[in-house]
Amino acid sequence: MVSGGEVKLFGMWASPAVRRVEWALKLKGIKYEYVEEDISNKSGALVQYNPINKQVPVLLHNGKPIVESLVILEYIDEVWKHHPILPKDPYERAMARFWAAYSEDKCRDAVRRVFFAEGGERAKAIECLEETLRALDGELEGKEFFGGENIGFSDLVLGWMAFWLGVSEEVASFEVLDPKKFPWFTSWIDNFLQVPAIKENLPPRDKTVAFFHGYRRLHLAAPNC
Amino acid sequence: MATAAKGVVLLDFWVSPFGQRCRIALAEKGVEYEYKEENLWDKSPLLLKANPVHKKIPVLIHEGNPICESLVIVQYIDEVWSNNPLLPSDPYERAQARFWADFVDKKIYECGTRLWKLKGEAQEEARKDMIEILKLLEGELGDKKYFGGETFGFVDVAFVPFSAWFYSYETCGNFSVEKECPKLVAWAKRCMERESVSKSLHDPHKVHEFVGHLKKMYGVE
């Protein structure tokens, strides 16, 4: 375990954005205190440290807050330089950041659309999602991880798909993770979930499925919330 | 690639605030590059090859390697050409800069689009949202010369191209940026004193004319 000041993480157990920060902390062996937030009743601390978005994750390092999971990952990588997450080469760093942005701008939205789509909208939404999987599959060709031989920034950012996409499939009754269509991506899921820092830091599957069932029901009942 | 293996090429579109971020960053660093104007309604084979995933500008091509996504490009430029750094050296301050650049990215363009595209209640909501977003940014700027403090930095590069759109936002949304956020207007003026900015941004009336074309295209009146 490495130190380097007091590290506190405000999170929520089912949140993929929080897990990616935890994965980074675990990979680097950084000692931290975890505080579970009740997002239906946000604590004063969360509002104080993230007044703009009032969201988890919030990393507190020596009392100073850092918010937005991708910003937090880069911060962690810059402060604790061992076991680097981002590559050294500027072009490779740009590629890692590109795929991280792709995860946040395209993949999340694509999964969300399928998750909440009903009736006729579903087919189109699945098509969009498969397009993103095709792009990811193409990028992974010949590689074990997005980061190459070891997991890196893009793996941590895209890592939510290795677990939460499967959960979404179960909750919303759809299937996209086809090894025949996306051989590299489905292999990557297996590889990623085998990494100890990841394997030992996933939420319980049944509890997560139940949580997202509730989340989906709530949203479909009141779509503007 | 048809272009030379060495050298810098920027695939861009004249009015794009995302492209302008890259132009400003390159100018701040004194990097010579070839500017290629793309017709977004008839994209070049080069663009489609350089950015097959999104088929969008801007794309920076450096030594034959394409880099996409404007903030990824700006960080790349900052890392390759280390003179006049855009990001601070302290990790905490870098995190703050990345947060605010990301904030601009997530909020301004989307809200701005709602402002010119929508009418009635939806437009009114967009107006309220835009004022709130601008006020938050003004709060972050405070009394500093730039978002980067004394030095023109990453957040300034990320946000300043949108200052050329203030006139269009005001006109579509029926409000005054100067009245709501006078410090932002003063900041934008200071940025325009930098050649990197004044040579990259277009006249706000030209931008508004462009928005007029978009409105016609989308059948908005």
Side-chain angles (χ1 to χ4, degrees), chain A residues 14-102:
Chain A
S15 158
V18 172
R19 288 288 163 166
R20 54 167 78 123
V21 174
E22 289 200 90
W23 294 335
L25 292 167
K26 296 278 186 202
L27 276 169
K28 292 194 184 250
I30 298 165
K31 190 162 166 261
Y32 67 100
E33 183 196 336
Y34 177 81
V35 178
E36 176 72 17
E37 275 293 314
D38 174 5
I39 53 171
S40 65
N41 183 22
K42 292 174 182 181
S43 73
L46 185 63
V47 174
Q48 178 196 348
Y49 295 127
N50 190 0
I52 305 230
N53 297 328
K54 304 177 184 64
Q55 280 175 343
V56 288
V58 174
L59 189 81
L60 215 60
H61 183 209
N62 293 330
K64 286 160 126 184
I66 302 103
V67 306
E68 289 301 310
S69 60
L70 269 61
V71 176
I72 297 172
L73 288 182
E74 294 227 31
Y75 176 81
I76 289 170
D77 209 35
E78 287 173 5
V79 173
W80 291 274
K81 295 190 199 293
H82 63 284
H83 204 307
I85 295 170
L86 275 159
K88 277 202 166 71
D89 174 70
Y91 180 67
E92 288 177 41
R93 290 161 76 84
M95 291 312 290
R97 288 180 179 131
F98 172 84
W99 287 105
Y102 190 73

Side-chain angles (χ1 to χ4, degrees), chain B residues 50-116:
Chain B
N51 191 357
V53 174
H54 298 297
K55 305 175 180 58
K56 280 184 178 176
I57 58 94
V59 180
L60 187 79
I61 306 174
H62 182 214
E63 294 173 348
N65 291 323
I67 301 106
C68 312
E69 294 298 307
S70 63
L71 291 182
V72 176
I73 295 171
V74 172
Q75 286 188 91
Y76 175 83
I77 291 168
D78 204 35
E79 288 173 9
V80 172
W81 292 277
S82 51
N83 57 319
N84 295 346
L86 295 169
L87 274 165
S89 49
D90 172 68
Y92 184 71
E93 288 176 42
R94 288 162 77 87
Q96 296 310 298
R98 287 187 174 119
F99 171 82
W100 284 103
D102 179 63
F103 180 83
V104 171
D105 240 18
K106 281 195 174 99
K107 305 278 184 184
I108 299 263
Y109 191 74
E110 185 274 336
C111 188
T113 303
R114 278 189 284 136
L115 256 180
W116 67 254

Side-chain angles (χ1 to χ4, degrees), chain B residues 1 11 19 24-25 47 51 101 105 109 143 145 156 161 177 181 184 196 200 203-204 209:
Chain B
M1 298 273 158
L11 307 183
I24 293 168
L47 174 57
N51 191 357
D105 240 18
Y109 191 74
D143 292 315
K145 187 175 178 188
D156 302 280
V177 179
C181 303
L184 279 189
S196 64
S200 302
D203 184 280
E209 212 181 280

Side-chain angles (χ1 to χ4, degrees), chain B residues 115 127 130 134 163 165-180 185 204 208:
Chain B
L115 256 180
R127 185 186 78 91
M130 182 56 85
L134 293 176
S163 67
W165 293 67
F166 285 173
Y167 174 69
S168 203
Y169 296 155
E170 289 174 325
T171 310
C172 295
N174 193 26
F175 68 99
S176 159
V177 179
E178 171 109 49
K179 195 162 159 226
E180 301 286 346
V185 171
H208 190 55

